[in-house]
Amino acid sequence: MENTGRKKVITEDDVRYVARLSRLRLDEKDVTMFRGQLSAILEYIEQLNEVDTEGVPPTSHVLSSMKNVFREDEPGVSLSPEEALSNAPEKKDGFFKVPRIIKEA
Amino acid sequence: MSNKYETVIGLEVHVQLATKTKVFCGCSTAFGARPNTQVCPVCLGLPGVLPVLNRKAFKYVIKVALALGCDIQKTVKFDRKNYYYPDLPKNYQISQHDMPLAYDGKVTIVAEDGNTTDIRVTRAHLEEDAGKLLHDPGLPFSYVDLNRTGTPLLEIVSEPDIRTPEEAHRYLVTLKQIIKYLEVSDCNMEEGSLRCDANISLREKGAPGFGSKVEIKNLNSFKAVRDALAFEEERQAGLLDDGEKIVQETRLWDEKKNVTVSMRVKEEAQDYRYFPEPDLVPFEVRADLVEEMRASMPEMPRERALRFSRQYKLGEKDVEVLISEKDIADFFEQVAGCFDKPRVVCNWIKGEIMRHMNERGTDIRGLNLKPGDLAKLIKMVDDEFISGISGKDVLEACIETGKDPAAIVRKKGLEQVSDEGALEGIVEKVIAENERSVTDYKSGKTAALSFLVGQVMKATKGKANPKLAGEMLRRKLG
Amino acid sequence: MEDILSSIDGFKRWLKGRTGSLADAARFLTDRISSIDADVRAFARIDAERIARRASGLEKAGKKGRLYGVPVAIKDNICAKGELTTCASRILEGFRPPYSAAVVEKLSAEGALLIGGANMDEFAFGSSCETSCYGPTRNPWDTSRIPGGSSGGSAAAVASGEVTAALGSDTGGSIRQPAAMCGVVGFKPTYGRVSRYGLIAFASSLDQIGPITRNVADCAAILEVISGYDNRDSTSVNMEVPRYTESLSEETGGLTIGIPGEYFRAGIAEGVRSRIDEAIKVFRDLGARTVDISLPHTKYAVSCYYIIAPAEASSNLARYDGVHYGYRSPGPGGLEELYTASRNAGLGEEAKRRILLGTYSLSSGYYEAYYLKAQKVRTRIADDFREAFKACDCILTPTSPTTAFKIGERVDDPLTMYLSDIFTIPANLAGLPAISVPCGPGENGLPVGLQLMAAPFNEETLIRAASAFERNTEHHKLRPEGL
């Protein structure tokens, strides 16, 4: 049984860190709220440590019959450029347009 | 560089696999199309679409794995590598994290002096390529073209076994040669179908562990790799000599100024949150598939080199030229199969054929020359049916028109004149008109004879058999 | 209002008895929906003109399929070419997919009249339909209450008689729980039975599309149409699809039904408990054998789910960033600003909560303790079922521990909300087929659902058992008052 003894309750810094990874910006009120809620959820989830999983393989695909699914190297149908860009918030000359990627100096 | 330090280099190579379609969808992988014309909901990363693995891409990786002597995973899985970038429409890349398809292989490089070194390959895995970004100079915008998104990409990571920029260069040349032999990629650095990042660090000779490493990007040719590493080697040695520390960072190679430039000083620690890709199922690499791939492997460059020197009795340098590319080696063997003087064939390929390739900027296939035609041509020259000079003209015409060399010879009337009767008058005339050379020859300047033969050739528009012409002149001036 | 949409056959009779074009019938139906929906709000949008045009198209096509003209609501997370599909999220504002989901193609090929935009919890994150950017759908039985979720719009549209059938998606109970709370039939097929191509992903290893209908026969009919292999979905299973409608009339004699003690321990509302007990008796009376079984890891299912599902979701939702489609924040600034501003404004609070949770459990240093651990516990849960199905053909439980709760009652307490999916989550974790059928009114006369689960690809067993139950009870005939 994995028991790291690590304090797992999420801190406000943790919330800020995962918000940054997920490209969400939270104000301090949000940070406090989410920390509280996520702590409650994660504390509940701690019960997973009661389960002995020694030697148990992880399940990524629940049905073991699912394997070896390929497609052949044969051309499919591509979209027309109009369709490809039909949902683009901004486009120019057949490209998706975004603010310039600024390299940190 | 002072010999206080030892250089430690590792290379990370990305090779686009030459499948017709992308790795997870049926869009074309062709280079150079108009932006966003080779895209579908899958490679655009639209909501609700799912990847399905291209069987050929999977097989190609197994081929490379076998050629590099790698161990191959029995069950292959894919993982998501999560990071945000506008050329990655899903904001995760389907890649392989902890269980790469192939691992623990090697690339054997041959130094100038013939000594071999093994560079270990840590891992080789399959992933999807990202799109391309264009930047508008002066304007605050970037433009995204997703045609390249989803092209199958093979990543090959070496151990830090490389010790000099020259070795790095040889590693790349050898790796490219192997991959091209397998015909799984065209390895064209200009079109980005082969890309390379380099890691380099220095340590004091004999020191355990590694120094802080610098990653170099923007390496657009093998020469750039060698030059950038050489620059970086000097730069780091200079800093260490001055008692400074090497900053672990990413640097860009500036090809124009021949320097590396720091990309950013402080990189945020990457947290890719890898986890198994739930939209793809596991893939078993069964023994029969590996055997099928092994059986489909061509003879690889090293084996072929050994066989060539044995079978065709050719020198090492000649062999290296012939096996440098699989197509050239194949072509040589096809010609040599029709005309049994390998050394003569080799000389034609090394000389005239390669000259035409260079002049036309094409590979051997691009010449559209049938091996049988070249064999016929070489035989005509060898049999003295046509002269060597005519032979070159015929080859040129052959490449230009694709016509049969015998037909070209006939049409141009290039058959060598080896009939004494037909040459008699011309030889007489040349003697009569070149008194000075005749005198020279008679006074012992044998070189004058070549000039006179040349005149006979000129008068016959190259058709005279030069050997016969020489004999006749010698006799007459005797 | 006349209950013309109580069944596919009933609708067909009604349609046959009408004169005029299918487009006219479609207009009649959309008018009806608009009128009922003033209270229920099952749809995010109804574009009557597009629907009428689609009806004309079906009529012109000539071929009358098995579902000709039948109005089928489509959850707002299933793509139809050119139709607004937004997952009830502002971040997909204006998104019209240039392609159709496999299920949409299949239903269209059989002539179904698809009515998109069934309301849902944003990105299917929820059990109450309250996290929709369009506001909550109301339960037709009591409009002060939630319809369940996340396919709340689909279930409410069927229960209120706006449509004959609906498609929902089920990641942790999102078809079965709203079906139970709205008193209709909901079916989650075996993972891999129905193609996910075109279903906007929540948690890829758990999601599955399925029907919501007024009766088991219609459920079987829709399931028959939407099931089957699709080479665009690697997790779609290449197995022949049985004729589910042929299992409808089979008897339940000889069937062994497992009753898992772990599902009956605590926390079940009395009104639910007594209905389930009665249902068990009905099955016994029909000649089925019941056996006590144990699914020892049941209590870990919610924890396991709330690691795996948000982790996958955090990655699946990364693509909504304002670059290639969907909502883009108009604010100035660089690319990073565009990402965060678009996501901040485009995603709702529950979506953010799950993204944060999922990102946390995958982040450096936590993967093994959370994600990998949960995957191992998932194996244990699936093993429990494998073991249990050695002793029984299907497993009977309540679908939800309670009947529909009041709108707003649990919004501030995510954990309690999450725990309400305790009975439906295990089937997703184990990939099993499961059905919810009405089994009578509980507290306040609100519907209670009975859940049956079977081994993978044993959908027929569920159809057979549920159909027999339905034939021998009257619960499915109950209608919300005023409709």
Side-chain angles (χ1 to χ4, degrees), chain C residues 3 5 29-30 32-43 46 71 115 153 156-165 214 479:
Chain C
D3 192 17
L5 301 179
L29 291 170
T30 48
R32 213 178 109 98
I33 291 172
S34 300
S35 138
I36 299 172
D37 228 30
D39 295 325
V40 177
R41 303 182 196 178
F43 287 94
I46 288 288
I115 301 178
V158 172
S160 63
E162 293 180 339
V163 291
T164 310
R214 287 276 285 280
R479 301 280 297 131

Side-chain angles (χ1 to χ4, degrees), chain B residues 287-300:
Chain B
D288 55 345
L289 176 66
V290 174
E291 280 323 302
E292 181 199 323
M293 289 296 101
R294 206 187 296 279
S296 75
M297 302 264 286
E299 184 182 29
M300 296 307 287

Side-chain angles (χ1 to χ4, degrees), chain A residues 2 6 22-23 25 37 44 47-48 50-53 57 59-60 62-63 66 87 90 97, chain C residues 96 191 235 299-300 303 325 328 336-337 340 343-344 353 366 370 373 375 379-380 419 429-430:
Chain A
E2 291 106 315
R6 184 167 45 82
S22 351
R23 300 304 187 272
R25 197 186 305 106
Q37 291 171 343
Y44 176 79
Q47 58 155 240
L48 288 181
E50 297 165 11
V51 184
D52 182 2
T53 51
T59 292
S60 288
V62 70
L63 300 174
M66 278 181 188
N87 285 293
E90 267 195 277
K97 188 177 168 188
Chain C
R96 292 183 189 271
Y191 185 79
T235 63
K299 72 179 234 197
Y300 304 109
S303 295
Y325 46 80
R328 174 182 288 194
E336 286 296 320
E337 176 65 25
T340 46
R343 287 169 67 78
N344 255 15
R353 184 156 38 240
Y366 295 102
Y370 288 121
K373 179 78 189 181
Q375 282 193 311
T379 307
R380 290 290 221 166
L419 289 170
L429 290 172

Side-chain angles (χ1 to χ4, degrees), chain B residues 45-48 51 80 82 91 271, chain C residues 99 198 234 315-316 318-319 321 325:
Chain B
L46 292 187
R80 290 190 186 173
N82 295 284
N91 285 328
D271 190 342
Chain C
Y99 75 103
S234 299
S315 173
N316 284 331
R319 70 188 67 192
D321 61 1
Y325 46 80

Side-chain angles (χ1 to χ4, degrees), chain C residues 41-42 75 119-122 124-132 136-142 144-157 169 173-183 212 399-400 402-407 410 417 420-421 447:
Chain C
R41 303 182 196 178
K75 189 175 178 178
N119 201 18
M120 56 185 284
D121 283 294
E122 183 180 15
F125 298 152
S127 316
S128 66
C129 221
E130 291 170 290
T131 68
S132 165
T137 292
R138 279 94 186 270
N139 194 314
W141 294 78
D142 175 351
S144 70
R145 290 175 187 272
I146 58 111
S150 67
S151 312
S154 298
S169 65
S174 278
I175 289 174
R176 291 159 287 156
Q177 186 255 24
M181 290 185 168
C182 290
I212 296 176
T399 305
S400 173
T402 65
T403 53
F405 46 87
K406 291 270 188 191
I407 291 173
R410 296 188 191 171
M417 188 79 102
S420 66
D421 293 338

